Amino acid sequence: SLHELKVDESDYHREWVTISKVVHIFKVLFNKEATKVLEKVNTFCDIDFQKHWQDWKRGIILDVDDCIAPHHWGIYTFNKDKINQLILLGWQIVIYSNMKNSDRYEELENMGIEVIKSPYAKPNSAWFEECVDKMWLDHTQIMMIWDNFLTDGWSIWAGIDFVKVDAINKDIWEQSIWSTVQINMRDFADRVAKLHGNID
């Protein structure tokens, strides 16, 4: 169920504007490769994990907000069940989010999932390497599952395939200028990706 969350104040907040984000916005606009996806699905549970396993994918870098949980809310139970199933099948999973760590991550950590705490904000390439190092896998064996080309699609330049999940429950975002800007920018990037012919 959804619930309010206690935030870990010792963690870093990463949702600011950075040079990496600005650079990537221009790449999304003008470079078709910036919106190239391995797969595009409606929900996390719709991903064809069996096919990706057959293609020698073994690791997942996973976002939380708008991907497996509404923004800054609790993770859906059916998504946690799916994650647990993937772990039992042999998938390695790490979590990286621009949001501060909060109590909603505890259950994932109890499953053995690493939650990366780093000062680097997406899409700074340094945090991709941190995630890769945690899994001891080659970049080509890892896929990134997220919802936002502007923050998450940088994986494409790191040689990691990008799986695009439609953002969930945008309507429960807190009403603020910053949240409105983020939503509009993400939706604009999705429209650009459609123009590039990379998603439907």
Side-chain angles (χ1 to χ4, degrees), residues 118-155:
S118 168
Y120 301 112
K122 294 186 294 186
N124 188 313
S125 59
W127 70 265
F128 285 96
E129 298 306 322
E130 288 189 40
C131 294
V132 172
D133 289 345
K134 294 292 183 181
M135 289 187 279
W136 296 88
L137 294 171
D138 185 80
H139 287 61
T140 60
Q141 293 179 286
I142 300 169
M143 59 186 189
M144 311 193 74
I145 302 174
W146 284 329
D147 65 281
N148 192 340
F149 283 113
L150 296 180
T151 54
D152 311 324
W154 193 273
S155 65

Coordinates of all heavy atoms in Angstrom, one line a residue, residues 118-155:
S118 N 25.3 7.8 -3.3 CA 26.5 8.5 -3.9 C 26.1 10.0 -4.1 O 25.0 10.4 -4.2 CB 26.7 7.9 -5.3 OG 27.6 8.6 -6.0
P119 N 27.2 10.8 -4.0 CA 26.9 12.3 -4.3 C 26.6 12.6 -5.7 O 26.2 13.7 -6.1 CB 28.2 12.9 -3.8 CG 29.3 11.9 -4.0 CD 28.6 10.6 -3.7
Y120 N 26.9 11.6 -6.6 CA 26.7 11.8 -8.1 C 25.2 11.8 -8.4 O 24.5 10.9 -8.1 CB 27.5 10.8 -8.9 CG 29.0 10.8 -8.6 CD1 29.5 9.7 -8.0 CD2 29.8 11.9 -8.9 CE1 30.9 9.7 -7.7 CE2 31.1 11.9 -8.7 CZ 31.7 10.8 -8.0 OH 33.0 10.8 -7.8
A121 N 24.8 12.8 -9.2 CA 23.4 12.9 -9.6 C 23.3 12.3 -11.0 O 24.2 12.5 -11.8 CB 22.9 14.3 -9.6
K122 N 22.2 11.6 -11.3 CA 21.9 11.2 -12.6 C 21.8 12.4 -13.5 O 21.2 13.4 -13.0 CB 20.6 10.4 -12.7 CG 20.7 9.0 -12.0 CD 19.5 8.2 -12.2 CE 18.2 8.8 -11.6 NZ 17.1 7.9 -11.7
P123 N 22.4 12.5 -14.7 CA 23.0 11.4 -15.4 C 24.5 11.4 -15.4 O 25.2 11.0 -16.4 CB 22.5 11.6 -16.8 CG 22.5 13.1 -17.0 CD 22.1 13.6 -15.6
N124 N 25.2 11.9 -14.4 CA 26.6 11.8 -14.3 C 27.1 10.4 -14.5 O 26.6 9.5 -13.8 CB 27.0 12.3 -12.9 CG 28.6 12.5 -12.7 OD1 29.3 11.6 -13.1 ND2 28.9 13.6 -12.2
S125 N 28.1 10.2 -15.4 CA 28.5 8.8 -15.7 C 29.2 8.1 -14.6 O 29.3 6.9 -14.6 CB 29.4 8.9 -17.0 OG 30.6 9.7 -16.7
A126 N 29.7 8.9 -13.6 CA 30.4 8.2 -12.5 C 29.5 7.3 -11.7 O 30.0 6.2 -11.2 CB 30.9 9.3 -11.5
W127 N 28.2 7.6 -11.6 CA 27.4 6.7 -10.8 C 27.0 5.4 -11.6 O 26.8 4.4 -11.0 CB 26.1 7.4 -10.3 CG 25.1 7.7 -11.4 CD1 25.0 8.9 -12.0 CD2 24.1 6.9 -11.9 NE1 24.0 8.8 -12.9 CE2 23.4 7.6 -12.9 CE3 23.7 5.6 -11.6 CZ2 22.3 7.1 -13.6 CZ3 22.6 5.0 -12.3 CH2 22.0 5.8 -13.3
F128 N 27.1 5.5 -12.9 CA 26.9 4.2 -13.7 C 28.0 3.2 -13.3 O 27.7 2.0 -13.2 CB 26.9 4.5 -15.2 CG 25.7 5.2 -15.7 CD1 25.6 6.5 -15.9 CD2 24.5 4.4 -16.0 CE1 24.5 7.2 -16.3 CE2 23.4 5.0 -16.5 CZ 23.4 6.4 -16.7
E129 N 29.2 3.7 -13.3 CA 30.3 2.9 -13.0 C 30.2 2.3 -11.6 O 30.6 1.1 -11.3 CB 31.6 3.6 -13.2 CG 31.9 4.1 -14.6 CD 31.8 3.0 -15.6 OE1 32.2 1.9 -15.3 OE2 31.2 3.2 -16.7
E130 N 29.7 3.1 -10.6 CA 29.5 2.5 -9.3 C 28.5 1.4 -9.3 O 28.8 0.3 -8.6 CB 29.0 3.6 -8.4 CG 29.9 4.7 -8.0 CD 29.4 5.6 -6.9 OE1 28.7 5.1 -6.0 OE2 29.6 6.8 -7.0
C131 N 27.5 1.5 -10.1 CA 26.5 0.4 -10.2 C 27.1 -0.8 -10.8 O 26.8 -1.9 -10.3 CB 25.3 0.9 -11.0 SG 24.3 2.2 -10.2
V132 N 27.8 -0.6 -11.9 CA 28.4 -1.7 -12.6 C 29.4 -2.5 -11.7 O 29.4 -3.7 -11.6 CB 29.1 -1.3 -13.9 CG1 29.9 -2.4 -14.5 CG2 28.1 -0.7 -14.9
D133 N 30.2 -1.7 -11.0 CA 31.2 -2.3 -10.1 C 30.6 -3.2 -9.0 O 31.1 -4.2 -8.6 CB 32.0 -1.2 -9.4 CG 33.0 -0.5 -10.4 OD1 33.2 -1.1 -11.5 OD2 33.5 0.5 -10.0
K134 N 29.3 -2.9 -8.6 CA 28.7 -3.7 -7.6 C 28.2 -5.0 -8.1 O 28.1 -6.0 -7.3 CB 27.4 -2.9 -7.1 CG 27.7 -1.6 -6.3 CD 28.3 -1.8 -5.0 CE 28.5 -0.5 -4.2 NZ 29.2 -0.7 -2.9
M135 N 28.1 -5.2 -9.4 CA 27.6 -6.4 -9.9 C 28.7 -7.3 -10.5 O 28.4 -8.5 -10.9 CB 26.5 -6.1 -11.0 CG 25.2 -5.6 -10.4 SD 23.9 -5.4 -11.5 CE 24.3 -3.9 -12.3
W136 N 29.8 -6.8 -10.7 CA 30.9 -7.6 -11.3 C 30.5 -8.2 -12.6 O 30.8 -9.4 -12.9 CB 31.4 -8.7 -10.3 CG 32.0 -8.2 -9.1 CD1 31.3 -7.9 -7.9 CD2 33.3 -8.0 -8.8 NE1 32.2 -7.4 -7.0 CE2 33.4 -7.5 -7.5 CE3 34.5 -8.1 -9.6 CZ2 34.7 -7.1 -6.9 CZ3 35.7 -7.8 -9.0 CH2 35.8 -7.3 -7.7
L137 N 29.8 -7.5 -13.4 CA 29.4 -7.9 -14.8 C 29.9 -7.0 -15.8 O 30.3 -5.8 -15.5 CB 27.9 -7.9 -14.8 CG 27.1 -8.9 -14.0 CD1 25.6 -8.7 -14.0 CD2 27.4 -10.4 -14.4
D138 N 30.0 -7.4 -17.0 CA 30.3 -6.6 -18.2 C 29.2 -5.6 -18.5 O 28.0 -6.0 -18.2 CB 30.6 -7.4 -19.4 CG 31.1 -6.6 -20.6 OD1 32.3 -6.2 -20.6 OD2 30.3 -6.3 -21.5
H139 N 29.5 -4.4 -19.0 CA 28.4 -3.5 -19.3 C 27.3 -4.1 -20.2 O 26.2 -3.8 -20.1 CB 29.0 -2.3 -20.0 CG 29.8 -1.4 -19.1 ND1 30.9 -1.8 -18.4 CD2 29.6 -0.1 -18.8 CE1 31.4 -0.8 -17.7 NE2 30.6 0.3 -17.9
T140 N 27.8 -5.0 -21.1 CA 26.8 -5.5 -22.1 C 25.9 -6.5 -21.5 O 24.9 -6.9 -22.1 CB 27.6 -6.2 -23.2 OG1 28.4 -7.3 -22.7 CG2 28.5 -5.2 -24.0
Q141 N 26.2 -7.0 -20.2 CA 25.3 -7.9 -19.5 C 24.3 -7.3 -18.6 O 23.5 -7.9 -18.0 CB 26.2 -8.9 -18.7 CG 27.1 -9.8 -19.5 CD 27.9 -10.7 -18.6 OE1 28.9 -10.2 -17.9 NE2 27.5 -11.9 -18.5
I142 N 24.3 -5.9 -18.6 CA 23.5 -5.2 -17.7 C 22.5 -4.4 -18.5 O 22.8 -3.9 -19.6 CB 24.3 -4.2 -16.9 CG1 25.3 -5.0 -16.0 CG2 23.5 -3.4 -16.0 CD1 26.4 -4.2 -15.4
M143 N 21.3 -4.2 -18.0 CA 20.3 -3.3 -18.6 C 19.7 -2.4 -17.5 O 19.7 -2.8 -16.3 CB 19.2 -4.1 -19.3 CG 18.4 -5.0 -18.4 SD 17.2 -6.0 -19.5 CE 16.2 -6.8 -18.2
M144 N 19.4 -1.2 -17.9 CA 18.9 -0.2 -17.0 C 17.4 -0.1 -17.2 O 16.9 0.1 -18.4 CB 19.6 1.1 -17.3 CG 21.1 1.0 -17.3 SD 22.0 2.5 -17.2 CE 21.7 2.9 -15.5
I145 N 16.6 -0.1 -16.2 CA 15.2 -0.1 -16.3 C 14.7 1.2 -15.6 O 14.7 1.3 -14.3 CB 14.5 -1.3 -15.6 CG1 15.0 -2.6 -16.3 CG2 13.0 -1.2 -15.7 CD1 14.6 -3.9 -15.6
W146 N 14.2 2.1 -16.4 CA 13.8 3.4 -15.9 C 12.7 4.1 -16.7 O 12.4 3.5 -17.7 CB 15.0 4.3 -15.7 CG 15.9 4.0 -14.5 CD1 15.4 3.4 -13.3 CD2 17.3 4.1 -14.4 NE1 16.5 3.2 -12.5 CE2 17.6 3.6 -13.1 CE3 18.3 4.6 -15.2 CZ2 18.9 3.6 -12.6 CZ3 19.6 4.6 -14.7 CH2 19.9 4.1 -13.5
D147 N 12.4 5.3 -16.3 CA 11.2 5.9 -17.0 C 11.6 7.2 -17.7 O 10.8 7.7 -18.5 CB 10.1 6.2 -16.0 CG 10.6 7.3 -15.0 OD1 11.4 6.9 -14.0 OD2 10.3 8.5 -15.1
N148 N 12.8 7.7 -17.5 CA 13.1 9.1 -18.0 C 14.3 9.2 -18.8 O 15.4 8.9 -18.4 CB 13.2 10.0 -16.7 CG 13.2 11.5 -17.1 OD1 13.5 11.9 -18.2 ND2 13.0 12.3 -16.1
F149 N 14.1 9.5 -20.1 CA 15.3 9.7 -21.0 C 16.3 10.7 -20.5 O 17.5 10.6 -20.7 CB 14.8 10.0 -22.4 CG 14.2 8.9 -23.2 CD1 12.9 8.9 -23.5 CD2 15.0 7.9 -23.6 CE1 12.4 7.9 -24.3 CE2 14.5 6.8 -24.3 CZ 13.2 6.8 -24.7
L150 N 15.8 11.8 -19.9 CA 16.7 12.9 -19.5 C 17.6 12.6 -18.4 O 18.7 13.1 -18.4 CB 15.8 14.1 -19.2 CG 15.0 14.7 -20.4 CD1 14.2 15.9 -19.9 CD2 15.9 15.0 -21.5
T151 N 17.2 11.7 -17.4 CA 18.1 11.4 -16.3 C 18.6 10.0 -16.5 O 19.8 9.7 -16.0 CB 17.3 11.5 -15.0 OG1 16.2 10.7 -15.0 CG2 17.0 12.9 -14.7
D152 N 17.9 9.1 -17.1 CA 18.2 7.7 -17.1 C 18.8 7.2 -18.4 O 19.6 6.2 -18.4 CB 17.0 6.8 -16.8 CG 16.2 7.3 -15.6 OD1 16.9 7.8 -14.6 OD2 15.0 7.3 -15.6
G153 N 18.5 7.9 -19.5 CA 19.0 7.4 -20.8 C 20.4 7.6 -21.0 O 21.0 7.1 -22.0
W154 N 21.1 8.3 -20.1 CA 22.6 8.4 -20.2 C 23.3 7.0 -20.3 O 24.4 6.9 -20.7 CB 23.1 9.3 -19.1 CG 24.6 9.7 -19.3 CD1 25.7 9.0 -18.9 CD2 25.0 10.9 -19.9 NE1 26.8 9.8 -19.3 CE2 26.4 11.0 -19.8 CE3 24.3 12.0 -20.4 CZ2 27.2 12.0 -20.3 CZ3 25.1 13.1 -20.9 CH2 26.5 13.1 -20.9
S155 N 22.6 6.0 -19.8 CA 23.2 4.7 -19.8 C 23.6 4.3 -21.2 O 24.5 3.5 -21.4 CB 22.1 3.7 -19.3 OG 21.0 3.6 -20.2

